[in-house]
Amino acid sequence: MSQHASAHAARSHKLRNTLFVIAALLILLVIAGGVVGLNFYKQAKEVKAHEEQAVSSLSAITDVNTLKDAQASDAAIKQAQTHTAAARDIANGTLWNMLSKMPVVGGDVTNVQGMTQVVDDLVQQTLPSLTDVVQQLANAQISGENGQLNLQPIVDAQDDFSSVSKQVKSLNSKLSNLPEPRIGMVKKAYSQSRSQFTKVTDMVEQVNNALQMLPSFLGQNGARTYLLVAQTTSEQRSGGGLVGSMGTLQTDHGQIQVGEFHHNGDFINGSNGNASEHAVFKGPLGFSFDIRDTFAVPDIARNAEMMNEAWQRSQYACDVDGIVSVDPVFIQKMVEINGNVTLEDGTVLTGKNTAEYMLNTIYKEVPVSLQDTYFEYIASTIMNNAFSNMDITKMMKVAQSIGELTRNRHFYAYTFHDDEAKYFQGAGLAKGTPDSETDPEVGIYLNEQNPSKLGWYIDRKTQITKTGQNADGSKTYHVTYTLTNTLTSSEMATCTGYILGGEQAGVTGKPVAAPGTSAQRMLFYAPKGGSISEITSSGDVRDQSNAVMDGQKLVTNVAYIAPGESVTFDFDVTTSPKAENDLTIDQTPSGKMTNEVNYQY
């Protein structure tokens, strides 16, 4: 063999040997990886099984009644604690810690580890504290004689429940800040966990806010007199609806008394609106800003100021400590909690039909001259019943419902006492325009400019789609907002002119097409620290312009919506760079608790 051939053979032999070695190493790595993978798979199944068993154990605690059963709830929690601790130990073992440092899948492993830690902390620490405070309240005597509430047990529980609320918020923050997973199964589990935990956090915070507010509201610190305002969202105003009547609600150490209501005609005693408010609501129906139009301004602080000024100019003037505002959805919820109400004509109001009756049926069946009397009787009866015969179950239902009602602008509670404000307007019980950079909202508000009761027929659908995450921390979204007039020809035949309204001069001189056509003065507010791009629309939308009202920028236009027709608005929103959460919507309340919103994040 030649020297060249010999050298070539040697190189080939070395190459072959090298390939054999590499192949052998690859085989060993595959075998090792398979062992690790199999072990990891088995452990992952164990984690899943433990978490499912924990959920099964806690399912025995379904409501306040079972939560206040100390023996049953303690047994369920201890069983759940065993499983959540086991899941946490497995997920934070050596193998998982090693895999968490690997590229690509490491973030998913870290995410699962974090989820097991949050769930275990919740079950080991927070849930026992929650059951303790609920049982403390359950064993207290809350209802006293003659409907008077014993507020001291609620005061005694405030600090403990506040601590629980802080714990839950902290855990929710930890969960939200875990690495975003890539694997589909983990991503789905994480999304569901965040959604459920956010609901739990909101519920606990709502109950906490109500527990902090109730003693002050009900006169624990001395007698209180509130203006009690009744709105109807069948004739929409930005923050609610047309104010039909106003009276007083007096509380003193748990004793509640609803005073006489007075028709809005008693308060047409001077205009409260300032120049910027009148400029926005110049037409097609110019608002006078007596109490009927007060809530056209979507800021409860401004509403409270104007309401109080109107009251003090009236023959009923007296010192007031704040305002409470309710609408038919609030009243329906209280009927659901307290029981049915039978009217003089035999009509039975329930937790399902009250809002429709007050927003639509009454205008068809009850003479106009008697409608205010009916409204006032219903409102006073419900407010008297809402806080009477209180026990822990009812109190928790009222507390939780107040949170949902205030978030959707069906109930407002505003105090003029600065030392109590953090548990009223400061706790979200009195909303204004978008005011948070960290929790961004886009504000969309409706104002019916055809004097009518058409709001019952205006259906709303919103889609908010996340479109970008910017380098400065801000986020961008596309918003599609659709209003549809659901009034049919057959339904129109059952309606009076009081419901349908009439022809009104349009802002460009064109008349509204016919009775039954809604004319909505729209207000669009960007999130605080953010912006709205140019709004485009389909349908009959006129007179779009930029405006400034009470020092805040907005976009306004008028949407004319004939029976069976729709208008749609499209625009982009950019949040503040300080935004921590995704964009949500704040909008005018309707005859439903909520309106359809589809979030695509």
Side-chain angles (χ1 to χ4, degrees):
M1 181 182 292
S2 69
Q3 186 175 1
H4 177 74
S6 177
H8 177 73
R11 286 196 298 270
S12 297
H13 184 69
K14 288 180 181 179
L15 179 61
R16 186 176 68 249
N17 288 342
T18 301
L19 290 173
F20 280 144
V21 171
I22 291 172
L25 286 172
L26 286 172
I27 291 169
L28 288 173
L29 285 171
V30 168
I31 293 172
V35 172
V36 170
L38 181 60
N39 197 16
F40 178 69
Y41 177 68
K42 288 171 61 179
Q43 290 188 13
K45 286 183 67 176
E46 290 175 12
V47 168
K48 183 173 181 288
H50 279 302
E51 297 292 15
E52 287 175 345
Q53 287 174 307
V55 170
S56 177
S57 300
L58 293 176
S59 65
I61 308 174
T62 56
D63 54 26
V64 172
N65 287 323
T66 51
L67 191 63
K68 70 183 183 183
D69 183 338
Q71 187 173 358
S73 60
D74 286 351
I77 290 171
K78 285 178 181 177
Q79 191 173 19
Q81 286 173 336
T82 301
H83 292 296
T84 60
R88 180 175 185 159
D89 288 345
I90 294 169
N92 289 274
T94 303
L95 175 59
W96 289 65
N97 289 334
M98 178 183 71
L99 291 174
S100 71
K101 295 176 173 60
M102 293 182 64
V104 184
V105 298
D108 291 78
V109 175
T110 300
N111 180 282
V112 175
Q113 289 179 310
M115 284 195 283
T116 62
Q117 291 166 9
V118 166
V119 171
D120 191 43
D121 285 343
L122 177 70
V123 174
Q124 301 288 347
Q125 301 168 26
T126 308
L127 200 51
S129 299
L130 177 62
T131 58
D132 286 346
V133 71
V134 170
Q135 288 158 14
Q136 175 186 334
L137 285 167
N139 293 323
Q141 183 63 40
I142 297 175
S143 286
E145 296 180 0
N146 301 319
Q148 183 171 354
L149 296 180
N150 175 20
L151 300 173
Q152 193 57 48
I154 303 175
V155 173
D156 294 340
Q158 285 177 329
D159 287 345
D160 289 339
F161 211 97
S162 178
S163 177
V164 169
S165 181
K166 288 175 183 176
Q167 289 177 41
V168 173
K169 279 194 238 180
S170 176
L171 291 173
N172 192 39
S173 179
K174 287 180 181 178
L175 186 67
S176 298
N177 290 322
L178 292 174
E180 193 68 35
R182 299 183 181 186
I183 299 171
M185 188 181 298
V186 180
K187 194 168 186 174
K188 182 178 179 181
Y190 181 53
S191 176
Q192 291 174 341
S193 298
R194 285 189 64 184
S195 176
Q196 291 301 317
F197 214 105
T198 297
K199 289 179 182 177
V200 170
T201 304
D202 288 346
M203 182 190 72
V204 172
E205 186 174 14
Q206 288 165 13
V207 174
N208 179 56
N209 287 341
L211 290 180
Q212 304 300 332
M213 178 271 288
L214 279 173
S216 298
F217 173 65
L218 297 175
Q220 178 74 1
N221 301 325
R224 295 285 185 264
T225 297
Y226 300 95
L227 294 180
L228 181 55
V229 180
Q231 302 184 60
T232 174
T233 53
S234 58
E235 191 164 349
Q236 293 128 324
R237 300 293 183 262
S238 293
L242 180 136
V243 175
S245 56
M246 184 162 65
T248 56
L249 173 69
Q250 296 175 323
T251 65
D252 187 7
H253 291 87
Q255 189 76 46
I256 303 166
Q257 183 175 358
V258 178
E260 184 180 353
F261 277 90
H262 308 287
H263 185 261
N264 57 27
D266 291 348
F267 302 97
I268 303 177
N269 51 18
S271 173
N272 287 321
N274 60 37
S276 67
E277 292 160 355
H278 280 287
V280 168
F281 293 101
K282 58 184 180 294
L285 173 67
F287 284 168
S288 67
F289 280 100
D290 58 47
I291 70 165
R292 293 171 297 180
D293 305 323
T294 302
F295 285 87
V297 178
D299 183 354
I300 191 62
R302 180 76 178 113
N303 305 153
E305 178 185 6
M306 289 193 280
M307 286 287 180
N308 190 34
E309 288 176 354
W311 181 262
Q312 300 307 334
R313 287 195 299 265
S314 75
Q315 59 184 308
Y316 315 110
C318 64
D319 291 337
V320 297
D321 298 284
I323 74 165
V324 174
S325 178
V326 301
D327 75 359
V329 172
F330 170 86
I331 291 172
Q332 177 170 290
K333 191 66 178 179
M334 293 304 106
V335 171
E336 179 186 315
I337 293 172
N338 292 287
N340 297 348
V341 172
T342 302
L343 302 180
E344 192 176 77
D345 64 0
T347 299
V348 178
L349 302 183
T350 71
K352 295 186 182 297
N353 71 357
T354 300
E356 182 173 4
Y357 180 83
M358 297 182 72
L359 292 170
N360 186 248
T361 307
I362 193 171
Y363 300 122
K364 299 177 180 179
E365 298 182 354
V366 177
V368 174
S369 61
L370 296 178
Q371 288 170 5
D372 288 329
T373 303
Y374 273 60
F375 277 124
E376 290 160 13
Y377 172 76
I378 295 167
S380 61
T381 300
I382 295 307
M383 290 305 295
N384 274 318
N385 292 344
F387 301 100
S388 63
N389 301 316
M390 187 73 75
D391 59 18
I392 181 61
T393 302
K394 179 177 175 179
M395 186 177 70
M396 287 297 186
K397 287 180 179 178
V398 170
Q400 188 176 343
S401 66
I402 283 176
E404 186 178 18
L405 288 160
T406 55
R407 186 170 60 250
N408 293 292
R409 291 182 175 263
H410 298 293
F411 174 76
Y412 294 98
Y414 186 95
T415 179
F416 295 136
H417 292 269
D418 291 341
D419 59 334
E420 297 176 358
K422 69 177 181 177
Y423 295 125
F424 284 76
Q425 51 266 39
L429 298 183
K431 294 195 74 168
T433 51
D435 62 357
S436 174
E437 291 191 71
T438 56
D439 298 305
E441 291 181 309
V442 58
I444 305 179
Y445 308 112
L446 288 67
N447 295 272
E448 182 57 74
Q449 301 259 278
N450 180 4
S452 63
K453 300 296 182 244
L454 291 170
W456 177 254
Y457 299 101
I458 303 301
D459 181 64
R460 311 178 209 166
K461 289 184 172 61
T462 308
Q463 179 159 310
I464 299 180
T465 304
K466 189 173 184 178
T467 55
Q469 177 82 41
N470 304 316
D472 65 353
S474 64
K475 304 172 185 179
T476 54
Y477 301 83
H478 184 77
V479 179
T480 300
Y481 189 77
T482 300
L483 301 173
T484 301
N485 187 337
T486 63
L487 194 60
T488 63
S489 56
S490 59
E491 176 66 13
M492 285 183 70
T494 71
C495 297
T496 65
Y498 195 64
I499 295 174
L500 299 175
E503 293 190 1
Q504 298 290 317
V507 293
T508 59
K510 299 177 183 178
V512 172
T517 297
S518 177
Q520 294 286 353
R521 167 64 70 179
M522 307 291 298
L523 310 182
F524 298 84
Y525 285 79
K528 184 176 181 181
S531 62
I532 290 178
S533 68
E534 184 176 352
I535 297 172
T536 61
S537 59
S538 62
D540 189 358
V541 178
R542 313 175 197 172
D543 191 37
Q544 182 162 301
S545 62
N546 296 317
V548 176
M549 185 168 69
D550 297 323
Q552 291 188 290
K553 295 179 180 179
L554 64 142
V555 178
T556 181
N557 52 44
V558 182
Y560 293 89
I561 319 168
E565 299 296 322
S566 299
V567 297
T568 297
F569 300 95
D570 280 282
F571 55 94
D572 293 317
V573 175
T574 301
T575 69
S576 163
K578 298 178 184 177
E580 295 176 1
N581 296 308
D582 280 308
L583 181 72
T584 58
I585 182 175
D586 177 45
Q587 61 179 316
T588 299
S590 70
K592 300 181 289 187
M593 178 66 81
T594 58
N595 292 282
E596 182 179 333
V597 182
N598 181 16
Y599 293 106
Q600 298 287 324
Y601 295 151

